[in-house]
Amino acid sequence: MKNLATLSLLLLLVCLNSFAQSETSFTVVETDHYELIIPEKKQVGVLILFGGFPETSDVIKREFKVVKPAMEAGIAVVLMKLNRRLWLEESEKKQLSAIMNQMFIDNDLIQENVYLGGFSSGGNISLLLGNYLIESENNIQPEGVFIVDSPVDLLRMYENAQRNIERNFLPSSVQESEMIVGLLESAFGQPEDNIKRYEANSPYTSKTHNTDNLTHLRHVKLRLYTEPDTAWWKQNRQHEYEDMNAYFIEKMADDLTEAFGDNVKYIATENRGYRANGNRHPHSWSIVDVGELIHWMMEK
């Protein structure tokens, strides 16, 4: 009996040791501006992520299971702590690029195979910042940018928020829409008198087919993820397809494909949107197939 117990203990220790060796080692560097996770194996790329409007770096890690597979592939992951932005002022673009450049220097990150991506409003930031980095001939030159169900059209976001307030279907949704209207009116005024200000700050303006803020992404690989679950949005928010981020992402994809060609890929998913707590929600990081995303980053 004693020999059996000893054998069981030895087997357990072997299993634990094998598991520990199979885990990919990494180093974490955290500052006020970012959380950087660096694989100990040879670096082959850098993935810079921006969360949605209220998201912290911890929320990104919880909702987007990319860190472990990225470490296994040799890709450093940067979780930017910038949030509560739907667009970027020029001063913010300059400041962000300076922070990122210093991060690359301080942590000896490779400057090849750099990708930006973001969820919801973070996707807007990824597009606008990626365009700025190339336009300004920054040391960091992204090879690809992806968005996850982002509100790319600020003008229509304002108009949809107004309709949602009038619809008055769900108190929390109405409260969010009131915040959006207040934020955009404070920054740009009412659209009927200030459409140029909306165009100047939005990744895309469908009403005028304006993509001027993305012109420098012409030779960058772009992925536009969304999950256009019309039944879910109708049941839970009383939204029609034309009220959804997916509608304007698809329109932007059409205009960018016409301008840029095959570098643009519109990816409409089905039944992938679930939050980390198991709740069904098509507006989620989880619509991205992480393994396929990493393959996209690695392919030439």
Side-chain angles (χ1 to χ4, degrees), residues 17-18 31 117 119 166 182 221 297 300:
N17 185 54
S18 298
T31 74
F119 167 66
E166 295 170 5
K221 296 191 296 183
M297 289 181 61
K300 297 299 181 183

Side-chain angles (χ1 to χ4, degrees), residues 178-244:
E178 289 172 341
M179 180 275 292
I180 290 168
V181 168
L183 180 65
L184 294 175
E185 281 189 351
S186 175
F188 310 133
Q190 295 187 348
E192 54 264 30
D193 302 317
N194 297 283
I195 189 171
K196 291 297 183 184
R197 296 187 68 186
Y198 283 80
E199 285 182 325
N201 291 279
S202 182
Y204 174 66
T205 306
S206 59
K207 184 172 288 187
T208 56
H209 299 275
N210 188 288
T211 59
D212 288 351
N213 293 323
L214 306 179
T215 53
H216 295 279
L217 297 178
R218 175 177 299 275
H219 301 296
V220 170
K221 296 191 296 183
L222 299 176
R223 283 199 158 194
L224 313 174
Y225 291 91
T226 188
E227 185 157 296
D229 188 340
T230 52
W232 190 96
W233 284 106
K234 182 67 174 179
Q235 178 181 349
N236 290 277
R237 298 293 187 275
Q238 287 297 296
H239 288 180
E240 303 296 336
Y241 181 52
E242 291 76 11
D243 299 319
M244 296 160 50

Side-chain angles (χ1 to χ4, degrees), residues 17-36:
N17 185 54
S18 298
F19 176 76
Q21 290 179 356
S22 69
E23 289 294 291
T24 304
S25 299
F26 56 86
T27 301
V28 177
V29 178
E30 190 161 8
T31 74
D32 291 340
H33 301 292
Y34 59 81
E35 180 178 338
L36 167 63

Side-chain angles (χ1 to χ4, degrees), residues 28 57 65 80 94 104 108 128-129 139-140 144 167 181 197 208 259:
V28 177
S57 58
K65 306 301 185 184
M80 297 300 296
K94 185 175 181 179
F104 272 72
D108 197 26
L128 295 171
L129 181 62
N139 289 332
I140 302 170
R167 195 179 288 125
V181 168
R197 296 187 68 186
T208 56

Side-chain angles (χ1 to χ4, degrees), residues 45-46 48 104 110-116 140-144:
V46 180
I48 302 171
F104 272 72
I110 64 170
Q111 292 188 349
E112 296 83 27
N113 216 30
V114 177
Y115 284 74
L116 307 181
I140 302 170
Q141 294 288 291
E143 292 192 20

Side-chain angles (χ1 to χ4, degrees), residues 35 47 69 75 96 109 135 146 171 186 201:
E35 180 178 338
L47 176 60
I75 298 171
L96 260 178
L109 298 178
E135 179 184 18
F146 72 92
S186 175
N201 291 279

